[in-house]
Amino acid sequence: QVQLVESGGGSVQAGGSLRLSCVATGSSYSNYCVGWFRTAPGKRREEVATIGPKGSTRYKDSVKGRFTISRDNAKNTLYLQMDSLKPEATAMYHCAAERWGANDGTCPPYWGDFGYWGQGTQVTVSS
């Protein structure tokens, strides 16, 4: 069992930065793929970035070069550094985890494959 708690959301102007954190409780955190997902009003949930057990990362195309996902396994913590924020980044951001990729370091291909979710933290970017 894994429990996830996000923090770091808030309101910023376009061009600003935010750093999201997600602390996990439970064992074997290092064996999990973890990631960030967001749901904007009226839109479907989408993957923002994931990081596998061996550190391999995957990003949504529109955030590449501006967002950075990282993990600190000693602290059971996942981060998302978001720079050069745009208004379209406004959404509820959730972290998620799934025990996956112990051998090849990959992450699930679809958000529905993640079994553990946090409650979310709101990010609002104004123009």
Side-chain angles (χ1 to χ4, degrees):
Q1 286 282 356
V2 175
Q3 293 184 321
L4 305 170
V5 179
E6 304 96 334
S7 62
S11 297
V12 296
Q13 290 191 328
S17 297
L18 284 172
R19 189 194 195 202
L20 306 183
S21 298
C22 173
V23 179
T25 59
S27 60
S28 304
Y29 177 77
S30 61
N31 292 329
Y32 282 74
C33 169
V34 286
W36 291 98
F37 301 79
R38 66 188 181 191
T39 308
K43 295 188 177 181
R44 295 181 178 180
R45 179 171 293 180
E46 62 182 6
E47 177 181 310
V48 178
T50 60
I51 184 166
K54 299 180 186 298
S56 60
T57 57
R58 186 171 74 205
Y59 291 93
K60 180 180 173 61
D61 285 346
S62 62
V63 308
K64 287 180 181 178
R66 298 185 298 113
F67 289 14
T68 304
I69 190 170
S70 61
R71 65 190 296 168
D72 184 338
N73 290 337
K75 297 181 179 180
N76 279 16
T77 303
L78 174 70
Y79 303 99
L80 184 67
Q81 177 66 42
M82 304 187 292
D83 298 320
S84 302
L85 281 162
K86 302 178 181 180
E88 50 263 42
T90 295
M92 180 69 75
Y93 284 71
H94 296 267
C95 65
E98 183 59 41
R99 194 178 181 103
W100 194 282
N103 294 322
D104 59 10
T106 61
C107 281
Y110 175 58
W111 66 260
D113 294 318
F114 285 78
Y116 301 98
W117 291 83
Q119 292 298 308
T121 185
Q122 177 68 37
V123 171
T124 302
V125 185
S126 58
S127 57

